[in-house]
Amino acid sequence: MTRASAPKSRQPNGASSIYLGTDGRWHGRVTVGVKDDGTPDRRHVSRKTRPEVTKVVRELERQRDKGAVRKAGQSWTVKTWLTHWVENIAAAHVSENTIDGYRVAVNHHLIPGLGAHRLEKLEPEHLERFYKKMQDNGSAAGTAHQAHRTIRTALNEAVRRKHLTANPASIAKAPKVEEEEVEPYTVEEVQRLLAEAAKHRNTARWVIALALGLRQGEVLGMQWDDVDFELGVIRVRRGRLRPRYKHGCGDRCGRKPGYCPQKINTRRETKNAKSRAGQRPIGVPEELLQLLRRHKEDQARERTAARDLWTEKGYVFTSPTGEPLNPNTDYHKWKELLKAAGVRDARLHDARHTAATVLLILGVSDAVVDAIMGWEPGKSARMRRRYQHLTSRVLKDTAAKVGGLLWGTDQAADNPTPDAGQGPVPAELAIHIACLGERRVPFLHREHADEVVARWRADWPDHTAEVEEWDRWRWEHQGPDGASAIRDRVPERAVVFHARALFLPGGERAATGVSEQWSVPAWDFETDRYTDRASAWRTARRPSTGQEVEAQVRGTDKGAVEAAFVEACAQAVDRARNPGKYGDIDEW
């Protein structure tokens, strides 16, 4: 009689198992967690021999117990993960400028250089060889370091989501970046820059950069509400963002979106300063306050001259139609200013370096310097060290000469104002002023001033018009409303045609009681910049409770203006019906 065999014991749920399969290979199964749908995440491995599969099973169990098993699901490559991370994760949680930097690093450097690697197979050595290759191909060390910071941030997110067990970018040696030594402008260079800036629009924009050290975005994002003339304070609250455009022509123009004649900005104009250190009040010297007052008066005249094309947004520094200045345009204006002033070429940020240097020379306390410059606690000591390499001339200036240091008042004392009654002005220094009623327009050449006066007399015989001769110093320092650019040609005589329509939310045309089309002679000299095209049109949402949309057209060709008016009205109707499409609201 045979003894009955004992029943085979059953493994508990979730335990690992090793068995010989019908295919002749040894198989192992290890439960490492739970899938997204709630079912057990049971991993399978296969080897030729039992010892081999046992070793792999035990390693999986150790990783499971340490919480280091890679998450099941999509098998990521570096390219697919970086693309997913930058567009679906980072884009929703960082600022516009930060995501722009991430996209450049990802799309122009990381994906072309590393994208084919499987995410879990990426090694620190791959990254280090990639950084070296970037620099060998001409990229700056700072660019390679930006790529390193970007992939480190992206892979940290992959580790957090268990697509990776460790971040190789945290192990890889980052490219070495030499901290750039600050070289501020000398006193003479600052004075030449300020003298040249006085000849152009928005003079105060450059004085603020050189005297107060505001960042480019802080200056361009400043509004009149931020300037307290009574207290003598500017409150820094926001920064200007670089615009991003899309086609407004239906992609018919064949150009890049930024060069489309009907381009539409899809990004908000400003963002609030991101830290308490960034949001700060700054005391303003009286000379600069006077300059800002004159600038406000100049802007009021431009507003009147622009008429229907002006969009009131409250910015201190604007285009001739009231729009905030484009940072790219502002950068090129800075380069033109350096060239015209005969000053060495430098970055726009070097103006900020100069202001910080002046503050440190004058013995201003560290806490006050940090507050004025907007340096965060913890970083300020390092920043101050960068600004302590000073030029020999600047070291000799003292706190008692702040006005002379920037505005040259002590230099002016050594060179008194020329007296207009001391005799004829030398020909090489003469400026010919066309006095048109109460207005004065300066010309380099006498014949140009005479021609303008003759035209003015013909059009307005009841108004006085004559030519005066001034010397250049007198015009630049005593001219009405501050120094102005001196013209080397006669403005073209033209008629400007206008068209305007107003649309309510929903697209219905509003009755305004104002003629929709009219024309005026282009004798207002400040409007030369508006009248050099056959037609130009735009649409704008009024910043009011009604939120109406205006269609505005101006140009020197009546037929072109009428044709453009049809296009402008069509876009205005679409904009009135779909504000989110044009970036007029934040929730889109």
Side-chain angles (χ1 to χ4, degrees):
M1 184 175 177
T2 60
R3 181 181 298 176
S5 59
K8 194 173 183 179
S9 62
R10 181 182 176 87
Q11 289 277 66
N13 287 339
S16 302
S17 60
I18 299 174
Y19 59 91
L20 181 64
T22 57
D23 58 357
R25 291 175 63 88
W26 285 88
H27 298 263
R29 296 189 181 272
V30 182
T31 302
V32 296
V34 180
K35 295 180 181 177
D36 291 340
D37 61 2
T39 59
D41 183 2
R42 194 161 173 82
R43 305 291 173 90
H44 169 256
V45 294
S46 174
R47 297 292 186 273
K48 290 182 179 180
T49 66
R50 184 182 183 104
E52 287 178 322
V53 81
T54 300
K55 181 178 180 181
V56 177
V57 166
R58 298 295 175 253
E59 178 60 28
L60 261 177
E61 289 174 337
R62 281 193 292 273
Q63 291 182 7
R64 174 196 63 194
D65 296 341
K66 291 194 303 182
V69 178
R70 189 171 60 86
K71 185 179 180 180
Q74 179 175 353
S75 180
W76 298 95
T77 63
V78 171
K79 177 180 178 178
T80 56
W81 172 252
L82 287 178
T83 302
H84 172 74
W85 169 76
V86 76
E87 298 301 339
N88 301 318
I89 300 173
H93 297 95
V94 300
S95 71
E96 291 93 332
N97 288 342
T98 301
I99 198 63
D100 280 352
Y102 284 165
R103 285 184 174 126
V104 170
V106 165
N107 298 317
H108 293 274
H109 300 294
L110 293 168
I111 287 179
L114 298 166
H117 284 283
R118 293 180 63 85
L119 192 62
E120 68 275 13
K121 299 292 185 182
L122 188 65
E123 300 290 342
E125 291 75 19
H126 294 145
L127 295 170
E128 290 162 348
R129 286 195 291 270
F130 166 69
Y131 302 147
K132 183 177 185 302
K133 187 176 180 181
M134 278 185 68
Q135 292 176 266
D136 290 344
N137 289 338
S139 291
T143 305
H145 202 280
Q146 165 69 2
H148 168 75
R149 294 196 304 271
T150 301
I151 196 167
R152 184 181 61 195
T153 304
L155 297 187
N156 275 340
E157 189 64 30
V159 172
R160 196 172 76 84
R161 295 172 184 243
K162 296 187 177 179
H163 300 309
L164 273 181
T165 58
N167 185 350
S170 298
I171 302 169
K173 295 291 186 183
K176 186 176 181 181
V177 180
E178 295 291 341
E179 197 165 66
E180 187 176 351
E181 192 172 16
V182 172
E183 185 181 358
Y185 286 116
T186 64
V187 174
E188 291 87 349
E189 288 172 326
V190 172
Q191 289 174 337
R192 289 209 302 272
L193 281 169
L194 292 175
E196 182 61 32
K199 303 174 185 177
H200 302 275
R201 280 187 77 246
N202 294 326
T203 300
R205 184 264 175 274
W206 308 113
V207 178
I208 285 176
L210 291 162
L212 301 182
L214 268 63
R215 301 174 178 92
Q216 182 192 40
E218 293 170 343
V219 177
L220 302 190
M222 186 169 29
Q223 298 184 357
W224 285 114
D225 289 345
D226 304 326
V227 182
D228 191 322
F229 288 103
E230 290 187 10
L231 294 179
V233 167
I234 289 175
R235 293 179 176 84
V236 179
R237 294 169 173 161
R238 69 190 69 79
R240 174 80 166 102
L241 292 173
R242 290 183 177 275
R244 172 168 290 172
Y245 297 107
K246 69 177 182 180
H247 284 282
C249 66
D251 206 6
R252 296 190 303 270
C253 66
R255 305 177 184 178
K256 292 182 179 180
Y259 296 94
C260 173
Q262 284 85 50
K263 62 188 176 185
I264 300 168
N265 183 19
T266 60
R267 174 179 280 184
R268 56 182 173 152
E269 292 174 349
T270 62
K271 68 170 183 175
N272 292 334
K274 63 184 179 181
S275 66
R276 286 190 176 183
Q279 297 185 24
R280 61 199 189 277
I282 297 178
V284 184
E286 181 58 34
E287 293 93 336
L288 181 51
L289 284 175
Q290 291 294 342
L291 194 60
L292 282 170
R293 289 187 181 98
R294 289 200 297 272
H295 174 73
K296 196 170 186 178
E297 294 170 0
D298 292 341
Q299 191 180 91
R301 281 188 288 274
E302 285 193 337
R303 185 185 294 107
T304 301
R307 300 182 182 90
D308 52 298
L309 287 187
W310 185 271
T311 299
E312 184 56 64
K313 295 184 175 180
Y315 289 101
V316 174
F317 301 110
T318 70
S319 73
T321 58
E323 295 288 347
L325 294 177
N326 187 313
N328 187 51
T329 304
D330 182 70
Y331 168 80
H332 289 294
K333 289 289 184 184
W334 167 252
K335 292 295 185 180
E336 292 171 9
L337 183 66
L338 294 178
K339 187 175 181 180
V343 173
R344 61 182 169 86
D345 186 54
R347 304 168 307 162
L348 178 53
H349 203 70
D350 286 10
R352 178 170 165 81
H353 292 169
T354 299
T357 301
V358 170
L359 293 171
L360 290 167
I361 299 163
L362 298 176
V364 178
S365 70
D366 290 349
V368 174
V369 173
D370 296 347
I372 292 174
M373 299 302 295
W375 291 334
E376 296 223 27
K379 300 179 183 177
S380 55
R382 181 179 64 84
M383 294 300 292
R384 281 194 299 274
R385 282 197 300 273
R386 291 189 65 205
Y387 286 81
Q388 285 171 347
H389 173 72
L390 310 176
T391 58
S392 58
R393 169 62 193 271
V394 176
L395 282 168
K396 297 176 184 177
D397 289 282
T398 63
K401 295 183 179 179
V402 178
L405 185 66
L406 294 181
W407 280 272
T409 52
D410 55 338
Q411 189 180 61
D414 296 333
N415 300 285
T417 304
D419 188 347
Q422 288 180 348
V425 179
E428 66 274 11
L429 299 178
I431 301 297
H432 310 283
I433 310 297
C435 301
L436 313 173
E438 296 182 357
R439 303 203 31 220
R440 287 175 167 80
V441 184
F443 290 92
L444 282 176
H445 307 291
R446 175 71 188 226
E447 59 268 25
H448 294 167
D450 288 337
E451 183 176 345
V452 167
V453 166
R455 289 182 182 182
W456 183 272
R457 285 173 176 163
D459 283 353
W460 285 281
D462 296 334
H463 291 71
T464 59
E466 59 184 358
V467 177
E468 292 183 358
E469 219 172 65
W470 292 32
D471 67 73
R472 186 185 295 267
W473 192 98
R474 180 186 172 198
W475 173 257
E476 292 179 352
H477 293 82
Q478 297 181 350
D481 304 315
S484 301
I486 299 168
R487 297 175 181 272
D488 60 0
R489 65 180 180 86
V490 179
E492 292 183 7
R493 189 174 190 178
V495 173
V496 183
F497 298 91
H498 299 256
R500 174 181 174 273
L502 190 66
F503 296 87
L504 301 172
E508 182 182 354
R509 199 159 185 157
T512 61
V514 178
S515 175
E516 285 194 343
Q517 298 189 39
W518 68 97
S519 63
V520 294
W523 265 112
D524 195 349
F525 292 95
E526 279 80 8
T527 63
D528 286 352
R529 60 179 67 91
Y530 311 135
T531 60
D532 59 355
R533 296 171 63 180
S535 69
W537 66 267
R538 65 193 292 271
T539 63
R541 182 171 294 275
R542 282 186 165 185
S544 62
T545 55
Q547 292 294 294
E548 301 95 343
V549 175
E550 286 182 303
Q552 303 160 345
V553 188
R554 169 179 283 181
T556 56
D557 185 311
K558 185 177 181 181
V561 168
E562 290 174 346
F565 189 42
V566 175
E567 286 190 72
C569 288
Q571 187 184 95
V573 170
D574 187 49
R575 188 167 186 169
R577 293 173 179 170
N578 306 289
K581 178 179 175 182
Y582 294 84
D584 293 337
I585 58 176
D586 293 331
E587 298 78 19
W588 64 287

